Amino acid sequence: MMKQTALAAALCAALAPAVSAKGVEGIKVSVLGRDWLVVPVEGTAGRYSATRMNLEHLAFRPPAVLTARQAVRAMQAATGCSVNLDTMVRTITGTYYAQVICRK
């Protein structure tokens, strides 16, 4: 069972596209030692995406805090606004999308 799990993790890491900041207009922030890329969503005002840059591809590394909380902190650090948690969605690729609320 352990061999199958390790093989599946290695296969996922090999096939998953690496997240890079090349060619993407966004803000790179660090939350608890993990790097996140926060990018505004085109066509929607006040909506941002946050993607963790897992350059090491360590599949079994435990997160310091749940990734949803890290994504919220990353969006807050990048935009200076609070995140509307009711609008937060995670895709199968691990990217989080949420609407931010900025006070004037």
Side-chain angles (χ1 to χ4, degrees):
M1 182 68 177
M2 188 61 139
K3 288 182 182 180
Q4 293 171 342
T5 305
L7 179 62
L11 183 61
C12 287
L15 295 177
V19 177
S20 66
K22 295 180 181 177
V24 177
E25 294 290 327
I27 301 168
K28 182 179 172 185
V29 295
S30 180
V31 177
L32 298 173
R34 273 60 170 194
D35 292 330
W36 288 81
L37 184 65
V38 179
V39 180
V41 176
E42 291 183 23
T44 308
R47 190 156 179 88
Y48 285 84
S49 69
T51 306
R52 190 175 131 216
M53 301 174 68
N54 186 8
L55 301 177
E56 305 89 25
H57 294 295
L58 300 175
F60 296 111
R61 178 176 70 178
V65 173
L66 295 175
T67 57
R69 290 183 181 179
Q70 289 183 31
V72 168
R73 290 180 184 178
M75 287 184 195
Q76 288 175 344
T79 63
C81 302
S82 61
V83 176
N84 185 352
L85 297 177
D86 294 335
T87 64
M88 183 170 251
V89 178
R90 180 181 180 197
T91 63
I92 195 166
T93 61
T95 301
Y96 288 88
Y97 293 90
Q99 193 77 23
V100 296
I101 303 168
C102 296
R103 297 199 175 139
K104 295 181 180 181

